[in-house]
Amino acid sequence: MSKLKYAPTPPPEPVITGSLEPGPKKRGRKRTKKQYFTPDTDAAIKEYLASSNQEERDNIFARRIHYPFYKLAENLIHTFKFYYTEVDDLEDLKHEVICFLLEKLDYFKPEKGTKAFSYFSIVGKNYLILYNNTNYKKKKAKCDPTAADEDDGVLRQLGRDERKQDIKDFIDYFTEYTDKHMFTIFKKAKDRRVCDAINTLFKRRENLEIFNKKALYIYIREMTDVDTPVITKVTKILRKKYKELYSEYVETGYVKV
């Protein structure tokens, strides 16, 4: 499918098709938050993957998948503040994310039980982390490091010693391991949301302005919309895994991801 078919402009909302029956109406206060990744999106992705006809695939993507991918890209950019970009308009960045997600569609395996929203959220976020960090480094290389820190409120340590470099290398291993095994370690979706948020903070640790534990808990809670006890539970599990993997790293110099 040609990427040029989808210009960097907001796509129309998807046309719901198929035999999805609406559920019974619930009484009480109406929710104003509109879901963009719906059961029809999951159904459309399965239909897309099952088809070998490119024209049919294009039609399914344009009518039922493009808009959810657009909203997902938009939410990832603003939720995690991926604003170090080479483009002048964020619509162009959203378009790049959509193209990347489109390239990864055939790698998604719904038969394994993974939810499409979770899979593409992680894939899109990892793409933006790499994109964001690459552009930050380019920006910093073009100006005085102190000035870059003052402009962006980013605390950077220069001249790190060997011990700090080892920790940095290990955390890179740890985040890669966590991304790969998240669905094995955590069976519940809300636990994975917390794990994903914590792992994102690890990846963006050098850009963080907050180091207070309480503030970090509040930040994670806002990102995931889960209660503090869930965050505490997931943190304990990750802390245990962190210690196990660090012991492996000290003994071997690497972590088997």
Side-chain angles (χ1 to χ4, degrees):
M1 182 185 295
S2 172
K3 296 179 183 180
L4 298 178
K5 289 186 179 182
Y6 304 104
T9 55
E13 292 194 32
V15 177
I16 305 299
T17 62
S19 59
L20 293 173
E21 294 293 334
K25 293 184 178 179
K26 296 182 179 180
R27 301 188 177 214
R29 184 180 301 174
K30 293 182 179 179
R31 293 191 177 187
T32 56
K33 187 176 181 181
K34 190 173 184 180
Q35 297 297 318
Y36 59 88
F37 225 96
T38 67
D40 183 72
T41 309
D42 291 320
I45 290 173
K46 289 179 182 179
E47 291 175 28
Y48 178 95
L49 294 173
S51 175
S52 58
N53 184 295
Q54 190 58 54
E55 184 176 349
E56 181 182 15
R57 279 185 153 206
D58 289 353
N59 185 51
I60 293 171
F61 184 87
R63 296 172 65 236
R64 299 165 62 195
I65 303 175
H66 187 199
Y67 179 80
F69 274 10
Y70 173 84
K71 295 300 293 183
L72 176 61
E74 182 177 69
N75 287 344
L76 287 173
I77 291 168
H78 293 302
T79 299
F80 297 104
K81 304 187 186 306
F82 292 117
Y83 297 142
Y84 290 108
T85 172
E86 290 183 329
V87 297
D88 295 326
D89 192 330
L90 284 181
E91 290 298 324
D92 294 308
L93 180 56
K94 294 175 195 175
H95 177 61
E96 291 183 21
V97 177
I98 292 168
C99 290
F100 180 76
L101 295 178
L102 177 57
E103 291 175 356
K104 296 300 180 183
L105 252 175
D106 284 312
Y107 291 90
F108 177 61
K109 307 296 180 185
E111 63 272 14
K112 291 186 176 181
T114 303
K115 295 294 185 182
F117 178 77
S118 296
Y119 176 83
F120 288 107
S121 292
I122 292 172
V123 167
K125 178 174 59 56
N126 287 342
Y127 170 81
L128 283 165
I129 287 172
L130 180 62
Y131 180 93
N132 191 75
N133 290 349
T134 299
N135 283 301
Y136 179 85
K137 290 176 182 178
K138 288 180 181 179
K139 177 178 180 180
K140 194 160 186 177
K142 294 178 182 179
C143 64
D144 177 70
T146 305
D149 288 341
E150 291 174 352
D151 289 343
D152 303 307
V154 179
L155 300 178
R156 293 278 185 166
Q157 295 181 357
L158 302 177
R160 294 176 176 176
D161 56 23
E162 185 177 348
R163 166 70 174 167
K164 290 181 178 178
Q165 184 60 47
D166 282 344
I167 293 294
K168 178 182 181 300
D169 292 341
F170 167 71
I171 292 179
D172 289 340
Y173 278 121
F174 179 75
T175 55
E176 184 180 355
Y177 179 94
T178 304
D179 274 337
K180 185 174 181 180
H181 299 281
M182 187 183 307
F183 285 85
T184 302
I185 300 172
F186 299 103
K187 303 300 182 183
K188 295 181 179 179
K190 62 182 179 181
D191 292 346
R192 290 196 295 268
R193 289 205 305 273
V194 174
C195 176
D196 187 42
I198 293 173
N199 211 37
T200 297
L201 293 179
F202 267 112
K203 293 176 183 177
R204 304 189 66 208
R205 59 195 177 276
E206 295 182 21
N207 292 351
L208 284 178
E209 297 180 58
I210 53 174
F211 298 95
N212 178 274
K213 181 179 178 180
K214 184 177 180 181
L216 284 170
Y217 262 67
I218 294 173
Y219 188 40
I220 293 170
R221 193 167 61 202
E222 290 177 348
M223 290 167 63
T224 60
D225 193 29
V226 301
D227 295 330
T228 299
V230 178
I231 299 174
T232 302
K233 179 187 69 174
V234 173
T235 301
K236 286 182 178 179
I237 295 173
L238 288 177
R239 184 186 296 121
K240 181 179 179 181
K241 181 59 65 176
Y242 184 99
K243 290 179 179 178
E244 291 175 2
L245 294 176
Y246 187 67
S247 296
E248 178 184 340
Y249 178 75
V250 170
E251 292 177 6
T252 64
Y254 68 94
V255 172
K256 187 177 180 180
V257 176

